[in-house]
Coordinates of all heavy atoms in Angstrom, one line a residue:
M190 N -21.7 42.7 -23.0 CA -22.5 43.5 -24.0 C -22.7 44.9 -23.5 O -22.9 45.1 -22.3 CB -23.9 42.8 -24.1 CG -24.9 43.5 -24.9 SD -26.5 42.8 -24.9 CE -27.4 44.0 -25.6
I191 N -22.5 45.8 -24.3 CA -22.6 47.2 -23.8 C -23.9 47.7 -24.5 O -24.2 47.6 -25.6 CB -21.4 48.0 -24.4 CG1 -20.1 47.5 -23.9 CG2 -21.6 49.6 -24.2 CD1 -18.9 48.2 -24.4
W192 N -24.7 48.4 -23.6 CA -26.0 48.9 -24.1 C -25.8 50.3 -24.5 O -25.0 51.1 -24.0 CB -26.9 48.9 -22.8 CG -27.4 47.5 -22.5 CD1 -27.0 46.4 -22.7 CD2 -28.5 47.3 -21.5 NE1 -27.6 45.4 -22.1 CE2 -28.6 45.9 -21.4 CE3 -29.4 48.1 -20.8 CZ2 -29.5 45.2 -20.6 CZ3 -30.2 47.5 -19.9 CH2 -30.4 46.0 -19.9
T193 N -26.7 50.7 -25.4 CA -26.7 52.1 -26.0 C -27.6 52.9 -25.0 O -28.2 52.3 -24.2 CB -27.3 52.2 -27.4 OG1 -28.7 51.7 -27.3 CG2 -26.7 51.2 -28.3
Q194 N -27.4 54.2 -25.1 CA -28.1 55.2 -24.3 C -29.7 54.9 -24.5 O -30.4 55.0 -23.4 CB -27.8 56.6 -24.7 CG -28.5 57.6 -23.9 CD -27.9 57.7 -22.4 OE1 -26.7 57.2 -22.1 NE2 -28.7 58.1 -21.5
K195 N -30.1 54.6 -25.6 CA -31.5 54.4 -25.9 C -32.0 53.1 -25.2 O -33.2 53.2 -24.6 CB -31.8 54.3 -27.5 CG -33.2 54.1 -27.8 CD -33.5 54.0 -29.3 CE -34.9 53.7 -29.6 NZ -35.1 53.6 -31.0
E196 N -31.2 52.1 -25.3 CA -31.5 50.8 -24.6 C -31.7 51.0 -23.2 O -32.5 50.4 -22.4 CB -30.5 49.7 -24.9 CG -30.5 49.2 -26.3 CD -29.4 48.3 -26.7 OE1 -28.3 48.5 -26.3 OE2 -29.7 47.2 -27.3
I197 N -30.7 51.8 -22.5 CA -30.8 52.1 -21.1 C -32.1 52.8 -20.7 O -32.7 52.5 -19.7 CB -29.6 52.8 -20.6 CG1 -28.3 52.0 -20.8 CG2 -29.7 53.4 -19.3 CD1 -27.1 52.7 -20.7
I198 N -32.5 53.8 -21.5 CA -33.6 54.6 -21.2 C -34.8 53.7 -21.3 O -35.8 53.8 -20.5 CB -33.7 55.9 -22.2 CG1 -32.6 56.8 -22.0 CG2 -35.1 56.5 -22.2 CD1 -32.5 57.8 -22.9
V199 N -35.0 52.9 -22.3 CA -36.1 51.9 -22.4 C -36.1 51.0 -21.3 O -37.2 50.6 -20.8 CB -36.0 51.3 -23.9 CG1 -37.1 50.0 -23.9 CG2 -36.2 52.3 -25.0
F200 N -34.9 50.4 -20.9 CA -34.9 49.5 -19.8 C -35.4 50.1 -18.6 O -36.3 49.6 -17.9 CB -33.5 49.0 -19.7 CG -33.3 48.1 -18.5 CD1 -33.6 46.8 -18.6 CD2 -32.7 48.6 -17.3 CE1 -33.4 45.9 -17.4 CE2 -32.6 47.8 -16.3 CZ -32.9 46.5 -16.3
L201 N -35.0 51.3 -18.3 CA -35.4 52.0 -17.0 C -36.9 52.3 -17.1 O -37.6 52.2 -16.1 CB -34.6 53.3 -16.8 CG -33.1 53.0 -16.5 CD1 -32.4 54.4 -16.4 CD2 -32.9 52.3 -15.2
K202 N -37.4 52.7 -18.2 CA -38.9 52.9 -18.3 C -39.6 51.6 -18.0 O -40.6 51.7 -17.3 CB -39.1 53.4 -19.8 CG -40.6 53.7 -20.0 CD -40.8 54.2 -21.5 CE -42.2 54.4 -21.8 NZ -42.5 54.7 -23.2
D203 N -39.1 50.5 -18.6 CA -39.8 49.2 -18.3 C -39.8 48.8 -16.8 O -40.7 48.4 -16.3 CB -39.2 48.0 -19.2 CG -39.6 48.2 -20.7 OD1 -40.5 49.0 -21.1 OD2 -38.9 47.7 -21.5
V204 N -38.6 49.1 -16.1 CA -38.5 48.9 -14.8 C -39.4 49.7 -14.0 O -40.1 49.2 -13.1 CB -37.0 49.0 -14.3 CG1 -36.9 49.0 -12.9 CG2 -36.0 48.0 -14.9
K205 N -39.6 51.0 -14.3 CA -40.6 51.8 -13.6 C -41.9 51.4 -13.8 O -42.7 51.5 -12.8 CB -40.3 53.3 -14.1 CG -39.0 53.9 -13.6 CD -38.9 55.3 -14.2 CE -37.5 56.0 -13.7 NZ -37.2 57.3 -14.3
R206 N -42.2 50.9 -15.0 CA -43.7 50.3 -15.2 C -43.9 49.2 -14.3 O -45.0 49.0 -13.7 CB -43.8 49.9 -16.7 CG -45.2 49.5 -17.0 CD -45.3 48.7 -18.4 NE -44.2 47.9 -18.7 CZ -44.2 46.6 -18.3 NH1 -45.1 46.1 -17.6 NH2 -43.1 45.8 -18.7
V207 N -43.1 48.2 -14.2 CA -43.1 47.0 -13.4 C -43.2 47.5 -11.8 O -44.2 47.0 -11.1 CB -42.0 46.0 -13.6 CG1 -42.1 44.9 -12.4 CG2 -42.1 45.4 -14.9
I208 N -42.4 48.4 -11.5 CA -42.5 48.9 -10.1 C -43.8 49.5 -9.8 O -44.4 49.4 -8.8 CB -41.2 49.9 -9.7 CG1 -39.9 49.0 -9.7 CG2 -41.5 50.6 -8.4 CD1 -38.8 49.8 -9.6
S209 N -44.3 50.3 -10.8 CA -45.6 51.0 -10.6 C -46.7 49.9 -10.4 O -47.6 50.1 -9.6 CB -45.9 51.8 -11.8 OG -47.2 52.3 -11.7
D210 N -46.7 48.8 -11.2 CA -47.6 47.7 -11.0 C -47.5 47.1 -9.7 O -48.5 46.8 -9.0 CB -47.3 46.7 -12.1 CG -47.8 47.0 -13.4 OD1 -48.5 48.0 -13.7 OD2 -47.4 46.2 -14.4
L211 N -46.4 46.9 -9.2 CA -46.1 46.3 -7.9 C -46.7 47.3 -6.7 O -47.3 46.8 -5.8 CB -44.6 46.1 -7.5 CG -44.0 45.0 -8.5 CD1 -42.6 44.9 -8.2 CD2 -44.7 43.6 -8.5
E212 N -46.4 48.5 -7.0 CA -46.9 49.5 -5.9 C -48.4 49.5 -5.9 O -49.1 49.9 -5.0 CB -46.4 50.9 -6.3 CG -45.0 51.1 -5.9 CD -44.4 52.4 -6.4 OE1 -45.0 53.1 -7.3 OE2 -43.3 52.9 -5.9
N213 N -49.1 49.2 -7.1 CA -50.5 49.2 -7.2 C -51.2 47.8 -6.9 O -52.3 47.5 -7.3 CB -51.0 49.7 -8.5 CG -50.7 51.1 -8.7 OD1 -51.0 51.9 -7.9 ND2 -50.1 51.6 -9.9
G214 N -50.3 47.0 -6.3 CA -50.8 45.7 -5.7 C -51.0 44.6 -6.9 O -51.7 43.7 -6.8
K215 N -50.3 44.9 -8.0 CA -50.5 43.9 -9.2 C -49.4 42.9 -9.2 O -49.0 42.4 -10.3 CB -50.6 44.6 -10.5 CG -51.8 45.6 -10.6 CD -51.7 46.4 -11.9 CE -52.9 47.3 -11.9 NZ -53.0 48.1 -13.2
H216 N -48.7 42.5 -8.1 CA -47.6 41.5 -8.1 C -48.1 40.1 -8.5 O -47.3 39.4 -9.1 CB -47.1 41.5 -6.8 CG -47.9 40.8 -5.8 ND1 -48.9 41.4 -5.1 CD2 -47.9 39.5 -5.3 CE1 -49.5 40.6 -4.3 NE2 -48.9 39.5 -4.3
R217 N -49.3 39.7 -8.4 CA -49.8 38.4 -8.8 C -49.8 38.2 -10.3 O -49.9 37.1 -10.9 CB -51.1 38.1 -8.3 CG -51.1 37.9 -6.7 CD -52.5 37.5 -6.2 NE -52.3 37.5 -4.8 CZ -52.4 36.5 -4.1 NH1 -52.4 35.2 -4.6 NH2 -52.3 36.6 -2.6
Q218 N -49.8 39.3 -11.1 CA -49.8 39.1 -12.5 C -48.5 38.6 -13.1 O -48.4 38.3 -14.3 CB -50.3 40.4 -13.3 CG -49.1 41.4 -13.3 CD -49.7 42.8 -13.9 OE1 -50.9 43.1 -14.0 NE2 -48.8 43.6 -14.3
Y219 N -47.5 38.6 -12.3 CA -46.1 38.3 -12.8 C -45.8 36.7 -12.5 O -46.5 36.2 -11.6 CB -45.1 39.2 -12.3 CG -45.2 40.5 -12.8 CD1 -45.8 41.5 -12.0 CD2 -44.8 40.8 -14.0 CE1 -46.0 42.8 -12.4 CE2 -45.0 42.1 -14.6 CZ -45.5 43.2 -13.7 OH -45.7 44.4 -14.2
Q220 N -45.1 36.2 -13.3 CA -44.7 34.8 -13.1 C -44.2 34.3 -11.9 O -43.2 35.0 -11.3 CB -43.8 34.5 -14.4 CG -43.4 33.0 -14.4 CD -42.4 32.7 -15.5 OE1 -42.1 33.6 -16.4 NE2 -41.8 31.5 -15.5
K221 N -44.9 33.3 -11.4 CA -44.4 32.7 -10.1 C -43.1 31.8 -10.4 O -43.0 31.2 -11.4 CB -45.5 31.6 -9.6 CG -45.5 31.6 -8.1 CD -46.7 30.8 -7.7 CE -46.9 31.0 -6.3 NZ -48.0 30.3 -5.7
S222 N -42.1 32.0 -9.6 CA -40.8 31.4 -9.9 C -40.6 30.4 -8.8 O -41.4 29.4 -8.7 CB -39.7 32.4 -9.9 OG -39.7 33.3 -10.9
F223 N -39.7 30.5 -7.9 CA -39.4 29.5 -6.9 C -39.0 30.2 -5.6 O -38.8 31.5 -5.6 CB -38.3 28.6 -7.3 CG -37.1 29.3 -7.8 CD1 -36.1 29.8 -7.1 CD2 -36.9 29.6 -9.2 CE1 -35.0 30.4 -7.6 CE2 -35.9 30.3 -9.8 CZ -34.9 30.8 -8.9
L224 N -38.9 29.6 -4.6 CA -38.6 30.1 -3.2 C -39.4 31.3 -2.9 O -38.9 32.4 -2.5 CB -37.1 30.5 -3.2 CG -36.0 29.3 -3.5 CD1 -34.6 29.9 -3.5 CD2 -36.1 28.3 -2.4
N225 N -40.7 31.3 -3.2 CA -41.6 32.3 -2.8 C -41.4 33.6 -3.6 O -41.6 34.7 -3.1 CB -41.6 32.5 -1.4 CG -43.0 33.0 -0.8 OD1 -44.0 32.7 -1.5 ND2 -43.0 33.4 0.4
T226 N -40.8 33.5 -4.8 CA -40.6 34.6 -5.6 C -41.4 34.7 -6.9 O -42.0 33.7 -7.3 CB -39.1 34.8 -6.0 OG1 -38.8 33.7 -6.9 CG2 -38.2 34.8 -4.8
R227 N -41.4 35.8 -7.5 CA -42.1 36.1 -8.8 C -41.1 36.8 -9.6 O -40.1 37.4 -9.1 CB -43.4 36.9 -8.6 CG -44.5 36.1 -7.9 CD -45.7 36.9 -7.9 NE -46.8 36.2 -7.3 CZ -47.6 35.4 -7.9 NH1 -47.6 35.2 -9.2 NH2 -48.6 34.7 -7.2
S228 N -41.4 36.8 -10.9 CA -40.4 37.4 -11.8 C -41.2 38.2 -12.9 O -42.2 37.9 -13.4 CB -39.4 36.6 -12.4 OG -40.0 35.6 -13.2
A229 N -40.5 39.3 -13.5 CA -41.0 40.0 -14.5 C -40.0 40.2 -15.7 O -38.8 40.5 -15.3 CB -41.5 41.4 -14.1
L230 N -40.4 39.8 -16.8 CA -39.4 40.0 -18.0 C -39.4 41.6 -18.3 O -40.5 42.2 -18.5 CB -39.9 39.3 -19.1 CG -38.9 39.2 -20.4 CD1 -37.5 38.6 -20.0 CD2 -39.5 38.4 -21.5
I231 N -38.2 42.1 -18.3 CA -38.1 43.6 -18.6 C -37.7 43.8 -20.0 O -36.6 43.4 -20.6 CB -36.9 44.2 -17.6 CG1 -37.2 43.8 -16.2 CG2 -36.8 45.6 -17.9 CD1 -38.4 44.5 -15.7
G232 N -38.7 44.4 -20.7 CA -38.4 44.7 -22.2 C -38.0 43.6 -23.0 O -38.2 42.4 -22.9
K233 N -37.2 43.9 -24.0 CA -36.7 42.9 -25.0 C -35.2 42.7 -24.8 O -34.5 42.1 -25.6 CB -36.7 43.6 -26.4 CG -38.2 43.9 -26.8 CD -38.2 44.6 -28.2 CE -39.7 44.8 -28.6 NZ -39.7 45.5 -30.0
N234 N -34.8 43.1 -23.6 CA -33.2 42.9 -23.1 C -32.9 41.6 -22.6 O -31.8 41.4 -22.1 CB -32.9 44.0 -22.3 CG -33.0 45.3 -22.9 OD1 -33.2 45.4 -24.1 ND2 -33.2 46.4 -22.1
H235 N -33.9 40.6 -22.5 CA -33.6 39.3 -21.9 C -33.3 39.4 -20.4 O -32.4 38.6 -20.0 CB -32.5 38.6 -22.7 CG -32.8 38.5 -24.1 ND1 -33.7 37.5 -24.7 CD2 -32.3 38.9 -25.2 CE1 -33.8 37.6 -25.9 NE2 -32.9 38.6 -26.3
V236 N -33.7 40.5 -19.8 CA -33.5 40.7 -18.3 C -34.7 40.3 -17.6 O -35.8 40.7 -17.9 CB -33.0 42.0 -18.0 CG1 -32.8 42.2 -16.6 CG2 -31.8 42.5 -18.8
R237 N -34.7 39.6 -16.5 CA -35.7 39.3 -15.7 C -35.5 39.9 -14.3 O -34.4 39.7 -13.7 CB -35.9 37.7 -15.6 CG -37.2 37.3 -14.9 CD -37.5 35.8 -15.2 NE -38.0 35.6 -16.6 CZ -39.2 35.7 -17.0 NH1 -40.2 36.2 -16.2 NH2 -39.5 35.4 -18.2
M238 N -36.5 40.5 -13.8 CA -36.5 41.0 -12.4 C -37.1 40.2 -11.5 O -38.3 39.8 -11.6 CB -37.0 42.4 -12.3 CG -37.1 43.2 -11.1 SD -37.8 44.8 -11.1 CE -39.5 44.3 -10.7
Y239 N -36.4 39.6 -10.4 CA -36.9 38.8 -9.4 C -37.4 39.6 -8.2 O -36.5 40.4 -7.8 CB -36.0 37.6 -9.1 CG -35.9 36.6 -10.1 CD1 -34.9 36.9 -11.2 CD2 -36.7 35.5 -10.2 CE1 -34.9 35.9 -12.3 CE2 -36.6 34.6 -11.3 CZ -35.6 34.9 -12.2 OH -35.5 33.9 -13.2
F240 N -38.5 39.2 -7.6 CA -39.0 40.0 -6.3 C -39.8 39.1 -5.5 O -40.2 38.0 -5.9 CB -39.7 41.2 -6.7 CG -41.0 40.9 -7.6 CD1 -42.2 40.7 -7.1 CD2 -40.9 41.0 -9.0 CE1 -43.3 40.5 -7.8 CE2 -42.0 40.7 -9.8 CZ -43.3 40.5 -9.2
R241 N -40.0 39.5 -4.2 CA -40.7 38.8 -3.2 C -41.6 39.7 -2.5 O -41.1 40.8 -2.0 CB -39.7 38.0 -2.3 CG -40.4 37.2 -1.2 CD -39.5 36.5 -0.2 NE -38.5 35.8 -0.9 CZ -37.2 36.0 -0.7 NH1 -36.7 36.8 0.2 NH2 -36.3 35.1 -1.4
K242 N -42.8 39.3 -2.2 CA -43.7 40.1 -1.3 C -43.5 39.7 0.0 O -43.6 38.5 0.5 CB -45.1 39.9 -1.8 CG -46.1 40.7 -1.0 CD -47.5 40.7 -1.5 CE -48.3 41.6 -0.6 NZ -49.6 41.9 -1.2
E243 N -42.9 40.5 0.8 CA -42.6 40.3 2.2 C -43.7 40.4 3.2 O -43.9 39.5 4.0 CB -41.4 41.2 2.8 CG -40.2 41.3 1.9 CD -39.4 40.0 1.9 OE1 -39.5 39.1 2.7 OE2 -38.5 39.9 1.0
N244 N -44.6 41.4 3.0 CA -45.8 41.6 3.7 C -46.7 42.4 2.8 O -46.3 42.8 1.6 CB -45.6 42.1 5.1 CG -44.9 43.5 5.1 OD1 -45.3 44.4 4.4 ND2 -43.8 43.6 5.9
K245 N -47.9 42.9 3.3 CA -48.8 43.7 2.5 C -48.3 45.0 2.1 O -48.8 45.6 1.1 CB -50.1 43.9 3.2 CG -50.1 44.7 4.3 CD -51.5 45.0 4.9 CE -51.6 46.1 6.0 NZ -52.6 46.9 5.8
D246 N -47.2 45.6 2.8 CA -46.6 46.8 2.4 C -45.2 46.8 1.9 O -44.7 47.9 1.5 CB -46.6 47.7 3.7 CG -47.9 48.0 4.3 OD1 -48.9 48.2 3.5 OD2 -48.2 48.1 5.5
L247 N -44.6 45.6 1.7 CA -43.2 45.6 1.3 C -43.1 44.5 0.3 O -43.3 43.3 0.5 CB -42.4 45.3 2.5 CG -40.9 45.2 2.3 CD1 -40.2 46.5 1.7 CD2 -40.1 44.7 3.6
I248 N -42.5 44.9 -0.9 CA -42.1 44.0 -1.9 C -40.5 44.3 -2.1 O -40.2 45.4 -2.3 CB -42.7 44.2 -3.2 CG1 -44.3 43.8 -3.1 CG2 -42.1 43.3 -4.4 CD1 -45.1 43.9 -4.2
T249 N -39.7 43.3 -2.0 CA -38.3 43.3 -2.1 C -37.8 42.9 -3.6 O -38.2 41.8 -4.0 CB -37.6 42.5 -1.0 OG1 -38.0 42.9 0.3 CG2 -36.1 42.6 -1.2
I250 N -37.1 43.8 -4.2 CA -36.5 43.4 -5.5 C -35.3 42.6 -5.1 O -34.3 43.2 -4.5 CB -36.3 44.6 -6.4 CG1 -37.6 45.3 -6.7 CG2 -35.5 44.2 -7.6 CD1 -37.4 46.6 -7.5
L251 N -35.1 41.4 -5.6 CA -34.0 40.6 -5.2 C -32.8 40.6 -6.2 O -31.7 40.8 -5.8 CB -34.5 39.1 -5.1 CG -35.7 38.9 -4.1 CD1 -36.2 37.4 -4.3 CD2 -35.1 39.2 -2.7
L252 N -33.2 40.7 -7.5 CA -32.0 40.8 -8.5 C -32.6 41.0 -9.8 O -33.8 40.7 -10.1 CB -31.1 39.5 -8.5 CG -31.7 38.2 -8.9 CD1 -31.0 37.9 -10.3 CD2 -31.3 37.1 -8.0
F253 N -31.8 41.5 -10.7 CA -32.0 41.6 -12.2 C -31.0 40.5 -12.8 O -29.8 40.5 -12.4 CB -31.7 42.9 -12.7 CG -32.5 44.1 -12.2 CD1 -32.4 44.7 -11.0 CD2 -33.7 44.3 -12.9 CE1 -33.3 45.6 -10.6 CE2 -34.7 45.3 -12.6 CZ -34.3 46.0 -11.4
F254 N -31.6 39.7 -13.6 CA -30.8 38.6 -14.1 C -30.9 38.5 -15.7 O -32.0 38.5 -16.3 CB -31.2 37.2 -13.6 CG -30.4 36.1 -13.9 CD1 -29.2 35.8 -13.2 CD2 -30.7 35.2 -14.9 CE1 -28.5 34.8 -13.6 CE2 -29.9 34.2 -15.2 CZ -28.7 33.9 -14.5
D255 N -29.7 38.5 -16.4 CA -29.7 38.3 -17.7 C -30.0 37.0 -18.1 O -29.2 36.1 -17.8 CB -28.3 38.8 -18.3 CG -28.2 38.8 -19.8 OD1 -28.9 38.0 -20.5 OD2 -27.3 39.5 -20.4
M256 N -31.1 36.7 -18.8 CA -31.5 35.3 -19.1 C -30.7 34.5 -20.0 O -30.8 33.3 -20.3 CB -32.9 35.3 -19.6 CG -33.9 35.9 -18.6 SD -33.9 35.0 -17.0 CE -34.6 33.5 -17.4
R257 N -29.7 35.1 -20.6 CA -28.8 34.5 -21.5 C -27.6 33.8 -20.7 O -26.7 33.1 -21.3 CB -28.2 35.4 -22.5 CG -29.2 36.0 -23.5 CD -28.7 37.1 -24.3 NE -28.6 38.3 -23.4 CZ -28.3 39.4 -23.8 NH1 -28.1 39.7 -25.0 NH2 -28.1 40.5 -22.9
Q258 N -27.6 33.9 -19.4 CA -26.6 33.3 -18.5 C -27.1 31.8 -18.2 O -28.3 31.5 -18.4 CB -26.4 34.1 -17.3 CG -25.9 35.4 -17.5 CD -25.6 36.2 -16.2 OE1 -24.9 35.6 -15.3 NE2 -26.3 37.3 -16.1
D259 N -26.2 31.0 -17.5 CA -26.7 29.8 -17.0 C -27.8 29.9 -15.9 O -27.7 30.6 -15.0 CB -25.4 29.1 -16.4 CG -25.7 27.7 -15.7 OD1 -26.8 27.3 -15.9 OD2 -24.8 27.2 -15.1
P260 N -28.9 29.3 -16.2 CA -30.1 29.4 -15.2 C -29.8 28.8 -13.9 O -30.5 29.3 -12.8 CB -31.1 28.6 -15.9 CG -30.7 28.0 -17.1 CD -29.2 28.5 -17.3
Q261 N -28.8 28.0 -13.7 CA -28.5 27.5 -12.3 C -28.0 28.7 -11.4 O -28.1 28.6 -10.2 CB -27.3 26.5 -12.4 CG -26.9 25.9 -11.0 CD -28.1 25.2 -10.3 OE1 -28.9 24.5 -11.0 NE2 -28.1 25.4 -9.1
K262 N -27.4 29.8 -12.1 CA -26.9 30.9 -11.3 C -28.1 31.5 -10.6 O -27.9 32.1 -9.5 CB -26.2 32.0 -12.2 CG -24.9 31.5 -12.7 CD -24.4 32.6 -13.5 CE -22.9 32.4 -14.1 NZ -22.5 33.6 -14.8
I263 N -29.3 31.6 -11.1 CA -30.4 32.3 -10.5 C -30.7 31.5 -9.1 O -30.9 32.1 -8.1 CB -31.7 32.1 -11.3 CG1 -31.5 32.8 -12.7 CG2 -33.0 32.7 -10.6 CD1 -32.6 32.6 -13.6
I264 N -30.7 30.3 -9.1 CA -31.0 29.4 -7.9 C -29.9 29.8 -6.9 O -30.1 30.0 -5.7 CB -31.0 27.9 -8.2 CG1 -32.2 27.7 -9.0 CG2 -31.1 27.1 -6.8 CD1 -32.3 26.3 -9.6
D265 N -28.6 29.8 -7.3 CA -27.4 30.1 -6.4 C -27.6 31.4 -5.8 O -27.4 31.8 -4.6 CB -26.2 29.9 -7.1 CG -26.0 28.4 -7.5 OD1 -26.6 27.6 -7.1 OD2 -25.1 28.3 -8.4
L266 N -28.0 32.4 -6.6 CA -28.1 33.8 -6.2 C -29.3 34.1 -5.3 O -29.2 35.0 -4.4 CB -28.1 34.8 -7.4 CG -26.8 34.9 -8.3 CD1 -27.2 35.6 -9.6 CD2 -25.8 35.6 -7.5
L267 N -30.3 33.4 -5.4 CA -31.5 33.6 -4.6 C -31.5 32.8 -3.2 O -32.5 32.9 -2.5 CB -32.8 33.3 -5.5 CG -33.1 34.2 -6.6 CD1 -34.3 33.8 -7.3 CD2 -33.3 35.7 -5.9
K268 N -30.6 32.0 -3.1 CA -30.5 31.3 -1.8 C -30.2 32.1 -0.7 O -29.6 33.1 -0.7 CB -29.3 30.2 -1.9 CG -29.8 29.0 -2.7 CD -28.8 27.9 -2.7 CE -29.2 26.7 -3.6 NZ -28.3 25.7 -3.6

């Protein structure tokens, strides 16, 4: 799938909003996943951003995943 310029701009805006929430300590508002991770749905693009709080000052973004793929891939990628 090829994204339009407008879709890319909206996607990046949504990612920045989630990152801003994480920077402001709002990581618990996002869905708990597995292996000590949480995830945020990014816009209407069926993309989920997975992240993990490493300590009080560090949150690591692990991956962006297109939810239209096989969900087993998420487990394999996060191992």
